[in-house]
Amino acid sequence: MLDIAKALALGALFGWSLHRAGLTHYARIVNVYRLRDMTVMRFMLTALVVGAVAVQAGVDLGFATGVPTPPTSMLANVVGGAVFGIGMATAGYCPGTIVAEAGEGRLDAWIGGLSGLLVGAVVFGLLQPHIMPTLASIGVVGRVTFATLTGASPWLVLFVFAEIVVLVLTLIARVGRQTT
Amino acid sequence: MEQAHVGLLQPLSDPSTSCAGCHAEETAARAERYLSFAVTAGPPPPTAPPSSVPPGATSDTTANRVVAALAALLAVALFVALRREVTTTQRSLLLARLRDETPRPYAAGVLLGLVVAFSIVTCGRPIAVSGAFDKLAAYPGRWLFSSSQYYTHVMTPGITWQVWMLVGVLAGSFASSKRAGQASLRWLPDTQWQPRFGTSRKLRLMIAFCGAVLVQVGAGIAGGCTSGLAISGGVVLAPAAFLFMAGMFAGGIPTAWLWYRGRAS
């Protein structure tokens, strides 16, 4: 019960932050791929830095029993990302923003988006045995992080990561143009 | 035969990983023969939960916690001290900011980062949306394709923690929209869509649908979507997250260019 309550609460904050960031708009998503509106990147990169520091702090403070890490399978990650990007740049949303837009009352998200995600999941279920053995066999690294991969201290790696993010954000602020 | 395997740990948990290194051709057959004579060489090595990277060495958790508690106390003291400086006019300005519909990506980014970190650290779960749809779609999927091994072995139907998280997203987004006065039923995107695609709802629904299908298939291949892989994977600094983001732009930038080729706005 408490588990479900946490899921609902965290989801609510997630949905709130998505809307607050302005990501429930077709134009704002598509324009990041047109290199015209970097709001999405500013939002995501900030979340990454803050989140990474908070996760490492939580781990060091002893609150974490294990850190869920996605497996790095290089070809699958990139190919999946490319297919994902094609869809996102076309329709102007991703799974999270589809649900957030539904919360905003957008019927294209309710009817087109939610059904598309469910159908897409079924389509993937059909494709999976045929495409995944090949796609998932190239560049398999496993459940690693940059810290475990390099063997360096996690905080040091985090510091470098934070520096890179701040650099990118500064460049974005200087070069990027905002339309919506 | 025992001598050939001196020094090897009991690989009973995963012959395909441990035995196949030297016995690639007939791993299964050899594993069975090995099992028949493998005596109690001691308990099998403890296996960490497969999805987790074990936490870094907590050199002195108590010291960490004491210092963190001090930091938190000082933060509270700072907050109280600075609050006295904020006048009533400024406070109502803050409230007005909440009702303001101007997007605030940095503030929202801080919130999302904390939310994801909390989820990962205390609940042991990533914030992952596409996985929830995989689980939900497995209900009709299993019914439609009952002979498929995918739904019996890989993706069993279920109302998971992530599914409940989605319900929360609906509510949270609704709350934020209501606050900003932006919650209303509409079919088309507010800006940029109509000049490019016209006013047809059917066209928007078709494109919205096709885009969502592609997005979910892509997430299935990559192992997650922007929330589950890019963000939740990114905060633990997994290379997969950044490879995924590179792929997103590799696919998305030419796509957006194709859709808007020759158009100024």
Side-chain angles (χ1 to χ4, degrees):
Chain A
M1 204 51 227
L2 181 66
D3 226 20
I4 293 181
K6 281 191 212 168
L8 288 169
L10 289 169
L13 290 170
F14 178 36
W16 177 282
S17 75
L18 277 177
H19 179 265
R20 205 74 188 119
L23 260 54
T24 56
H25 293 274
Y26 160 83
R28 195 157 280 127
I29 306 279
V30 172
N31 286 346
V32 93
Y33 293 108
R34 298 174 76 196
L35 304 177
R36 288 182 184 211
D37 183 345
M38 292 291 124
T39 308
V40 174
M41 291 317 296
R42 293 198 265 151
F43 173 62
M44 280 180 66
L45 291 173
T46 308
L48 282 177
V49 167
V50 171
V53 170
V55 166
Q56 192 58 46
V59 164
D60 280 356
L61 288 169
F63 290 119
T65 44
V67 176
T69 308
T72 299
S73 181
M74 292 170 67
L75 184 65
N77 294 144
V78 174
V79 168
V83 173
F84 191 93
I86 294 173
M88 199 174 174
T90 301
Y93 51 29
C94 72
T97 45
I98 287 176
V99 180
E101 288 193 14
E104 211 185 8
R106 294 189 184 275
L107 297 165
D108 52 341
W110 272 110
I111 298 174
L114 294 181
S115 62
L117 289 176
L118 291 169
V119 169
V122 173
V123 167
F124 177 72
L126 290 170
L127 291 172
Q128 192 258 1
H130 304 289
I131 62 173
M132 287 317 288
T134 323
L135 281 174
S137 61
I138 298 173
V140 177
V141 188
R143 295 187 193 267
V144 296
T145 69
F146 279 114
T148 60
L149 212 53
T150 58
S153 145
W155 282 108
L156 205 58
V157 174
L158 234 178
F159 187 66
V160 170
F161 175 64
E163 284 180 308
I164 295 174
V165 166
V166 170
L167 199 65
V168 172
L169 284 174
T170 316
L171 287 171
I172 285 175
R174 203 175 286 185
V175 174
R177 279 168 289 151
Q178 202 163 355
T179 44
T180 317
Chain B
M1 194 174 322
E2 287 90 333
Q3 287 161 348
H5 299 87
V6 160
L8 288 181
L9 296 171
Q10 255 200 352
L12 297 176
S13 54
D14 193 359
S16 64
T17 309
S18 38
C19 309
C22 302
H23 303 291
E25 272 104 65
E26 354 86 274
T27 310
R30 281 180 180 268
E32 272 183 43
R33 290 217 305 277
Y34 180 75
L35 280 176
S36 67
F37 68 80
V39 290
T40 49
T47 42
S51 66
S52 308
V53 173
T58 48
S59 47
D60 195 343
T61 312
T62 327
N64 278 334
R65 284 190 174 167
V66 167
V67 173
L70 185 64
L73 270 170
L74 283 169
V76 171
L78 262 170
F79 178 75
V80 169
L82 289 171
R83 202 177 172 188
R84 298 255 168 95
E85 306 296 311
V86 175
T87 63
T88 19
T89 341
Q90 285 173 308
R91 244 180 253 152
S92 58
L93 274 173
L94 280 170
L95 275 172
R97 273 191 126 199
L98 259 182
R99 290 198 189 96
D100 183 6
E101 53 176 78
T102 317
R104 308 210 173 279
Y106 292 121
V110 171
L111 174 61
L112 178 60
L114 294 173
V115 166
V116 174
F118 187 85
S119 179
I120 285 177
V121 169
T122 55
C123 304
R125 292 186 164 101
I127 297 286
V129 178
S130 64
F133 281 97
D134 281 326
K135 280 292 197 182
L136 285 173
Y139 283 107
R142 187 179 56 178
W143 176 72
L144 285 166
F145 304 104
S146 47
S147 57
S148 166
Q149 294 239 306
Y150 179 73
Y151 295 109
T152 42
H153 288 86
V154 181
M155 187 63 64
T156 51
I159 307 289
T160 58
W161 189 90
Q162 305 290 357
V163 173
W164 287 109
M165 200 264 307
L166 278 195
V167 175
V169 174
L170 269 175
S173 172
F174 176 69
S176 177
S177 317
K178 218 61 180 109
R179 251 254 122 135
Q182 288 178 325
S184 66
L185 294 174
R186 56 211 123 144
W187 290 92
L188 299 172
D190 302 331
T191 57
Q192 198 170 303
W193 173 272
Q194 291 183 50
R196 170 66 185 82
F197 293 99
T199 53
S200 163
R201 288 179 187 176
K202 263 191 222 159
L203 181 62
R204 172 60 191 160
L205 284 177
M206 258 173 38
I207 292 185
F209 177 82
C210 293
V213 170
L214 280 172
V215 146
Q216 186 69 18
V217 170
I221 296 173
C225 64
T226 35
S227 56
L229 187 50
I231 305 239
S232 297
V235 295
V236 302
L237 296 180
F242 303 98
L243 288 164
F244 176 72
M245 287 198 274
M248 267 171 64
F249 282 101
I253 293 179
T255 305
W257 180 79
L258 280 170
W259 281 116
Y260 282 89
R261 195 170 29 167
R263 281 156 220 271
S265 61

